[in-house]
Amino acid sequence: MNNVLLPLYLQKYIIKLLCKHIDYNNKLIDLFQIKDIDYRKNESEIKKLMISMALVNNDWFKTLSNNLTVSVDFNFNIFNIFNNNNNNNNNNNNNNNNNNNNNNNNNNNNNNNNNNNNNNNNNNNNNNNNNNNNNIININNFIENIGKFTIIKKENIKILKLHFDHNTELFYFYNNDQNFGFDIVNQGLEKLILNNKAITTDSIIETTTTTTIKSKIKKIKLKKLIFRNVNLNCNDKLLEILNSLLECEVTKKLKLFEIYLDRNSTIEFINNLEKIVKQLFSIIIAPNVNIEVLTKALTIWLKKLTIITIKDFKMNEIKSIYNLLIIPIQSPLPLINTINNNNNNNNNNYYYFYLSNIKYFEFSKNQISLNQFCNLFKTLKIVEHFSIDFCFDNLIYYLSNQDERKSLGLEKCFCGNLLSRDLICLEEKEKEFKESWLLFKKLFKENNTLKTLTICHWCNTFGSTERYQYGKPYPNSFNKEFGELISINQSLKSLEMLSPPTNGIIKEILKNNKTLNYFEINTLEKSPYNYDQYLEELGLIISQNQHIESFTFIKNSWNEQKIYWDDDILFKYEKKK
């Protein structure tokens, strides 16, 4: 077959469409894990796409360069400017955060050359060699090079996204003798603003550290500044970081990924943060948080808030959070967005709650009754990614029949998870659990927005260790009930589960669900175990279910030296495209 070359105007049109796709992904503040694609992997794929397109020919490069408007970390690998062999570890950590962004800034004369990467690498090596005898960083040279992008033109940048390095608590770079983190960011911002002719020169005041812009910006292409991961646990430190930024319009309306609210969070902190952060996407709620503080934060940023994480609450601590989240509030959005598309008659569909606009909800290591949990789940109108922990020992006991309890010697767990604390009689507990479980299955079936589900074992008494015998098949009644719960949701695409090496649940799920395509099973190995038979059975299950796109089985074993769990992938299947 002869290759057909598209006319240049069609090529350029396609490139412009791809530029919109690249810009969209580059300005994402988070990407949920679906099909093993997470934030960093997606960022890497987008960068590869940019470079591949730029190297096709000169016309492609120019079209790409003229239409990209989102810059990530100035599209600049800062570490090639600096010669600091003593800080390789810091550089490697920061490179992960900056995702190896274009090592192109040392070559100022090859912007329209298809061999940019080779030329830049040579320049970077020369730059490093020239600085071998000098550990002092030339900030002025760096500032001059900021914005001289090979692919993205500095004059076209409308959105700048910055990453924060948690290892050093700085942006980009840390030196034992000098701290350049905020000076670099501020001078980089100033460079972009001046380049866009956004201010009048007579209103610039020179200081000893960096040029501060005091004038009112008239016109500027740079419209948004996004911070991906300044999610420090210290509120004062977070405010210090954000207040250290260059004073200009874009730093007065920041987009911030996440904040952490705990017992030390205050109303004053929320008020100060509100002055500079206009959009917030995630809140982590820790035990003993002040309800007034949490309420104010939710009220301010609710419109764009998409992620809420609630962790480590005891039964008596979770009550105030639970009461806040299940109470209807006035909707900040049009009424059409407050009603779930689920075809059910639940009256909660006609009310708005703090969780109504949440797409990612993580509820882990908390002690709560199943009935309370059902009430929370009702308020999740458009949830797509859902993570929950149960005490599997209690779940196994209450989902098993009397014969299985006797033959397998099953016992209730001491933690009391999934049950109301005010119930003493066993019959009352059994009745409450049965009613709540049926309601949970009903709600789960009616939900049509869920895409990914993570279910793990957690016990407030015994932690991550199940008391159930490791490697022993779960009771049939439990497999049937638990498998049916997951299989009845037809919108679900991905399942991650913590489970011992037993396939009973997976078999039950696959009996009735052919839309669930991605599986990841983790097991906490409590004792040495022969996985051969289990893995052989997994292979057979996959061969019988051709709709499965991916299946991973990971063994987590405790490492005494690291004091952490080591991950060992024992089985990984990827369907050939």
Side-chain angles (χ1 to χ4, degrees):
M1 180 181 292
N2 295 327
N3 292 328
V4 179
L5 184 64
L6 289 175
L8 183 59
Y9 78 93
L10 283 180
Q11 294 182 40
K12 289 184 176 182
Y13 178 76
I14 293 171
I15 293 169
K16 289 178 182 179
L17 293 178
L18 287 172
C19 285
K20 292 182 179 180
H21 170 72
I22 291 170
D23 277 346
Y24 172 79
N25 280 272
N26 276 340
K27 68 183 178 182
L28 282 178
I29 205 163
D30 193 43
L31 186 73
F32 302 118
Q33 292 191 12
I34 307 174
K35 294 170 48 179
D36 287 334
I37 298 176
D38 61 15
Y39 178 84
R40 289 299 175 195
K41 289 180 181 178
N42 183 68
E43 192 177 52
S44 178
E45 290 299 318
I46 291 298
K47 184 192 170 188
K48 289 177 184 177
L49 174 62
M50 290 170 59
I51 294 174
S52 298
M53 292 172 63
L55 293 176
V56 172
N57 58 45
N58 198 42
D59 287 319
W60 279 50
F61 174 81
K62 285 183 177 179
T63 307
L64 189 70
S65 181
N66 288 333
N67 289 278
L68 290 176
T69 62
V70 181
S71 172
V72 181
D73 297 329
F74 298 106
N75 276 67
F76 184 76
N77 189 342
I78 198 170
F79 308 101
N80 288 319
I81 283 287
F82 301 139
N83 177 58
N84 188 3
N85 294 327
N86 295 326
N87 289 296
N88 284 335
N89 289 335
N90 279 336
N91 290 353
N92 289 334
N93 288 334
N94 281 286
N95 276 333
N96 287 335
N97 272 344
N98 290 322
N99 203 32
N100 299 320
N101 289 314
N102 299 339
N103 306 331
N104 296 326
N105 290 280
N106 291 324
N107 190 349
N108 298 332
N109 299 313
N110 294 308
N111 282 350
N112 294 320
N113 192 322
N114 292 328
N115 297 317
N116 280 311
N117 288 342
N118 292 333
N119 291 331
N120 286 335
N121 287 335
N122 292 334
N123 283 342
N124 288 338
N125 290 333
N126 292 334
N127 203 28
N128 287 337
N129 292 332
N130 292 335
N131 289 324
N132 276 337
N133 298 319
N134 187 358
N135 284 329
I136 299 175
I137 299 168
N138 191 329
I139 288 296
N140 291 328
N141 286 347
F142 165 69
I143 296 304
E144 286 303 313
N145 282 322
I146 277 186
K148 295 181 179 178
F149 311 120
T150 313
I151 297 179
I152 301 180
K153 291 182 179 180
K154 58 182 179 296
E155 58 266 23
N156 290 341
I157 295 176
K158 295 180 180 179
I159 298 175
L160 175 63
K161 181 170 67 175
L162 299 176
H163 293 92
F164 186 82
D165 175 23
H166 289 234
N167 295 305
T168 62
E169 295 190 358
L170 292 172
F171 289 99
Y172 305 114
F173 182 78
Y174 179 80
N175 180 277
N176 289 334
D177 300 320
Q178 302 180 68
N179 172 349
F180 296 108
F182 296 106
D183 277 348
I184 287 176
V185 171
N186 286 336
Q187 293 181 60
L189 281 171
E190 179 188 335
K191 189 77 176 177
L192 291 179
I193 292 171
L194 288 172
N195 184 77
N196 283 283
K197 299 178 181 179
I199 59 172
T200 54
T201 55
D202 59 351
S203 62
I204 301 175
I205 303 172
E206 295 290 334
T207 66
T208 57
T209 56
T210 184
T211 303
T212 304
I213 299 175
K214 297 296 184 181
S215 67
K216 187 174 182 180
I217 296 176
K218 298 177 181 178
K219 290 182 179 180
I220 182 170
K221 281 194 174 181
L222 183 63
K223 298 182 181 299
K224 287 185 180 180
L225 184 56
I226 302 172
F227 286 97
R228 167 56 175 63
N229 55 344
V230 195
N231 54 340
L232 297 172
N233 291 353
C234 178
N235 294 332
D236 291 338
K237 186 69 175 179
L238 174 60
L239 283 173
E240 179 186 334
I241 289 170
L242 299 181
N243 287 326
S244 299
L245 293 169
L246 184 73
E247 186 180 337
C248 59
E249 286 301 309
V250 291
T251 58
K252 294 177 183 177
K253 49 182 180 181
L254 301 177
K255 292 176 68 175
L256 187 64
F257 174 52
E258 191 168 75
I259 62 171
Y260 181 91
L261 298 181
D262 59 10
R263 68 178 69 191
N264 297 316
S265 303
T266 63
I267 291 293
E268 182 183 6
F269 164 70
I270 299 298
N271 288 336
N272 289 331
L273 198 63
E274 182 185 10
K275 296 174 183 177
I276 49 179
V277 175
K278 300 306 177 187
Q279 292 184 23
L280 181 69
F281 292 83
S282 174
I283 294 180
I284 298 176
I285 304 171
N288 297 315
V289 63
N290 184 293
I291 292 299
E292 186 180 355
V293 172
L294 175 59
T295 304
K296 188 171 182 64
L298 289 172
T299 303
I300 292 171
W301 292 295
L302 186 60
K303 190 172 182 179
K304 290 293 183 179
L305 197 65
T306 57
I307 306 172
I308 284 185
T309 302
I310 304 174
K311 286 185 175 182
D312 302 317
F313 280 84
K314 302 294 184 182
M315 183 73 80
N316 59 328
E317 296 172 340
I318 196 68
K319 188 174 182 180
S320 57
I321 303 295
Y322 167 77
N323 289 336
L324 173 68
L325 297 179
I326 65 169
I327 296 175
I329 60 172
Q330 184 176 355
S331 171
L333 303 171
L335 183 61
I336 189 171
N337 290 336
T338 70
I339 302 178
N340 196 347
N341 291 326
N342 300 337
N343 296 320
N344 61 58
N345 296 319
N346 193 312
N347 288 333
N348 277 347
N349 282 341
Y350 300 96
Y351 296 98
Y352 196 88
F353 303 85
Y354 283 119
L355 299 181
S356 292
N357 209 40
I358 299 302
K359 291 186 177 181
Y360 185 105
F361 185 62
E362 180 180 346
F363 194 81
S364 60
K365 299 181 181 180
N366 301 301
Q367 196 168 4
I368 191 171
S369 73
L370 188 57
N371 182 55
Q372 289 175 313
F373 178 74
C374 287
N375 290 332
L376 282 178
F377 193 78
K378 291 177 187 177
T379 69
L380 292 164
K381 306 293 186 181
I382 57 173
V383 63
E384 295 180 4
H385 311 271
F386 184 61
S387 179
I388 180 68
D389 291 347
F390 291 122
C391 175
F392 267 48
D393 289 312
N394 260 345
L395 204 58
I396 291 169
Y397 179 86
Y398 285 105
L399 290 179
S400 300
N401 59 43
Q402 293 294 341
D403 291 338
E404 289 169 330
R405 292 176 187 177
K406 290 179 181 179
S407 62
L408 297 173
L410 300 179
E411 295 181 350
K412 300 185 299 296
C413 183
F414 303 119
C415 69
N417 186 256
L418 301 174
L419 302 169
S420 299
R421 280 295 180 90
D422 54 352
L423 295 178
I424 300 177
C425 176
L426 178 60
E427 290 183 359
E428 290 180 344
K429 291 181 178 180
E430 296 261 12
K431 182 181 177 182
E432 183 203 60
F433 180 85
K434 184 177 180 180
E435 291 175 351
S436 299
W437 182 256
L438 290 175
L439 175 59
F440 186 35
K441 286 174 65 176
K442 178 178 181 292
L443 295 172
F444 208 71
K445 180 180 180 180
E446 291 171 347
N447 177 283
N448 59 15
T449 61
L450 197 60
K451 294 179 180 178
T452 65
L453 173 67
T454 300
I455 297 183
C456 294
H457 163 77
W458 178 259
C459 173
N460 292 90
T461 303
F462 297 100
S464 59
T465 303
E466 269 188 75
R467 298 167 65 205
Y468 192 83
Q469 184 179 339
Y470 186 76
K472 186 177 181 179
Y474 283 143
N476 290 332
S477 298
F478 171 78
N479 288 335
K480 185 177 184 300
E481 280 293 326
F482 197 72
E484 185 179 313
L485 168 73
I486 298 171
S487 66
I488 57 178
N489 186 293
Q490 296 300 308
S491 65
L492 194 62
K493 302 297 181 185
S494 177
L495 172 67
E496 182 178 345
M497 187 169 65
L498 185 65
S499 166
T502 171
N503 287 316
I505 296 174
I506 300 299
K507 290 178 180 178
E508 289 293 335
I509 293 171
L510 294 173
K511 278 183 181 179
N512 303 306
N513 189 307
K514 302 301 180 183
T515 62
L516 188 52
N517 303 323
Y518 303 92
F519 294 82
E520 182 178 309
I521 308 299
N522 290 264
T523 186
L524 299 182
E525 187 180 60
K526 296 189 291 185
S527 58
Y529 185 82
N530 189 343
Y531 296 91
D532 292 344
Q533 182 178 348
Y534 171 75
L535 298 179
E536 184 180 346
E537 190 177 356
L538 266 186
L540 181 61
I541 290 173
I542 292 171
S543 67
Q544 295 171 346
N545 294 273
Q546 294 296 311
H547 68 283
I548 296 177
E549 300 281 344
S550 173
F551 201 115
T552 306
F553 178 72
I554 303 172
K555 179 186 73 173
N556 311 111
S557 53
W558 184 253
N559 189 317
E560 289 290 348
Q561 292 181 337
K562 295 181 182 178
I563 317 178
Y564 200 72
W565 294 93
D566 283 335
D567 294 342
D568 185 11
I569 299 177
L570 299 185
F571 182 93
K572 188 170 182 64
Y573 165 79
E574 294 286 347
K575 190 174 184 179
K576 293 181 181 179
K577 302 298 183 181

